Amino acid sequence: MMKKYEGSCRLSQQQLIDEYFMDVRAKLLDVAAFLDRIDRSVECNAEEDFRMMAMREGLQALCTRAPYRVRTIQMIFSDPTREPLSELDRKSAFGAYDYHRDKEGLR
């Protein structure tokens, strides 16, 4: 288990808020707008989409007070496999790992 490193940031909490609050606020509003668009979509066909499942899990991790949230969330979205693919299975990244696809042996 990782320990929380208190005092390892050179800025005070107030300095961090003064410096970064507006940027973080804008990012949270972007996430909220995305989720609102998903909710208002004309067709509800992605409840089990692996990217949305990872998003929900990441948001839950974000709301905890556990140390190393960034690492936890990065690992939620990351491909845990170590073996290289024999060939590329797509032309672009999806931004999250499809655990369901891996369980079905499609990987």
Side-chain angles (χ1 to χ4, degrees):
M1 184 173 171
M2 292 188 205
K3 275 187 148 180
K4 187 174 181 178
Y5 291 115
E6 292 183 26
S8 63
C9 180
R10 295 187 185 272
L11 298 177
S12 71
Q13 290 179 342
Q14 192 62 57
Q15 288 171 318
L16 287 165
I17 292 168
D18 291 345
E19 183 69 24
Y20 299 107
F21 180 81
M22 292 304 288
D23 288 338
V24 173
R25 176 184 177 272
K27 290 173 185 177
L28 285 173
L29 288 169
D30 283 344
V31 170
F34 170 73
L35 294 173
D36 283 351
R37 285 191 298 275
I38 291 288
D39 290 344
R40 291 191 314 264
S41 178
V42 295
E43 188 175 352
C44 294
N45 59 354
E47 284 296 313
E48 299 304 316
D49 184 286
F50 68 96
R51 294 163 293 188
M52 290 306 299
M53 291 168 64
M55 175 83 65
R56 287 191 292 271
E57 188 177 347
L59 289 169
Q60 287 175 345
L62 180 66
C63 291
T64 69
R65 298 272 313 193
Y68 301 103
R69 284 173 285 211
V70 69
R71 182 184 186 285
T72 300
I73 293 168
Q74 180 64 49
M75 295 310 295
I76 289 168
F77 289 108
S78 296
D79 182 343
T81 60
R82 294 182 184 259
E83 295 298 317
L85 296 173
S86 58
E87 61 184 51
L88 290 177
D89 61 348
R90 58 189 176 270
K91 291 187 178 191
S92 63
F94 290 115
Y97 183 70
D98 189 351
Y99 287 90
H100 179 71
R101 180 177 175 182
D102 196 31
K103 285 180 186 174
E104 290 180 353
L106 299 174
R107 184 149 172 90

